Amino acid sequence: MLNILMIEDDIELAEILSEFLEQNDIKVTNYDEPYTGMSALATHEYDLLLLDLTLPNLDGLEVCKRVAKQKNIPIIISSARSDLNDKVKALEYGADDYIPKPYDPQELLARIHSLLRRYNKKDSKNTEKEKDCIFKIDRESREVFFKDKKVELTRAEYEILTLLISKKGHVFSREAIAIESESINPESSNKSIDVIIGRLRAKIEDDPKKPKYIISVRGVGYKLEV
């Protein structure tokens, strides 16, 4: 049975959708408050997130952005907000689909199955591509393995290393690294980034003074070479 997390503050709608989906072998757990929902997502395994946008305490777009950065999970936005900017932002932030309310539950069911089929195919391809990669990321446990050995990382080190791994060969400026890393103040000095890079090199390089993996690009920033 599929296991879906829903974050929806319309309790009546949540009950209707939950009842329908459970009749189709999909277990639904709903939270009407976004922080509680994100907490559940951090501690339990779900196959998909069904997310409303107009939520108390935290806008659904921000929830989508945070979840997409931290979890590899399919996200469907279910919202009555019809503004094109909301749709564009949701997809840019990491949502995979956007279904405007009101809709027939049958359509939602079809979208769920379609999205999960695509995800399963993508995961299979990614597994094949990463078989020979010396860096492996377990995003569920927020761990990185280098040559099949776990690397002990602080939160900032994890965020920077996974950023570099995600786009091998791409040169990131120090400013971009700070912006993309949640635990680093975007106004942090370049020296702060350099210090963290130095710690990462000490953990993965044979000779941190002559790095083979985390490469400095003079006047720009850093890239990962594999």
Side-chain angles (χ1 to χ4, degrees), residues 51-55 58-61 77-79 81 86 90 98:
L51 176 64
D52 185 22
L53 290 188
T54 306
L55 296 167
L58 187 67
D59 188 76
L61 287 173
I77 301 297
S78 162
S79 177
R81 281 159 48 175
D86 285 332
Y98 193 112

Side-chain angles (χ1 to χ4, degrees), residues 24-56:
N24 288 274
D25 295 323
I26 298 177
K27 179 184 177 182
V28 179
T29 303
N30 181 60
Y31 292 92
D32 59 5
E33 200 282 327
Y35 286 104
T36 309
M38 287 191 293
S39 178
L41 187 59
T43 55
H44 297 80
E45 293 297 321
Y46 296 97
D47 296 300
L48 181 143
L49 171 62
L50 182 62
L51 176 64
D52 185 22
L53 290 188
T54 306
L55 296 167

Side-chain angles (χ1 to χ4, degrees), residues 151-164 173-174 176-205 208 211 214-216 222 224:
V151 184
E152 296 295 336
L153 300 170
T154 65
R155 181 180 175 186
E157 290 168 356
Y158 171 85
E159 290 172 352
I160 291 177
L161 184 55
T162 53
L163 176 66
L164 295 175
S173 68
R174 293 172 176 83
I177 290 173
I179 291 171
E180 291 292 334
S181 304
E182 288 187 350
S183 60
I184 299 175
N185 188 326
E187 297 179 359
S188 295
S189 66
N190 289 344
K191 186 64 177 176
S192 299
I193 303 297
D194 294 340
V195 168
I196 298 173
I197 291 291
R199 296 203 305 258
L200 285 171
R201 283 173 169 165
K203 294 180 179 183
I204 66 173
E205 301 282 0
I214 302 179
I215 308 299
S216 301
Y222 297 98
L224 184 77

Side-chain angles (χ1 to χ4, degrees), residues 12 36 40 44 50 52 61 67 76 99 102 105 119-120 142-143 159 171 174 184 201 220 226:
E12 183 178 355
T36 309
H44 297 80
L50 182 62
D52 185 22
L61 287 173
V67 168
I76 296 179
I99 181 168
Y119 248 75
N120 290 336
R142 294 179 67 84
E143 294 175 337
E159 290 172 352
V171 180
R174 293 172 176 83
I184 299 175
R201 283 173 169 165
V220 182
V226 177

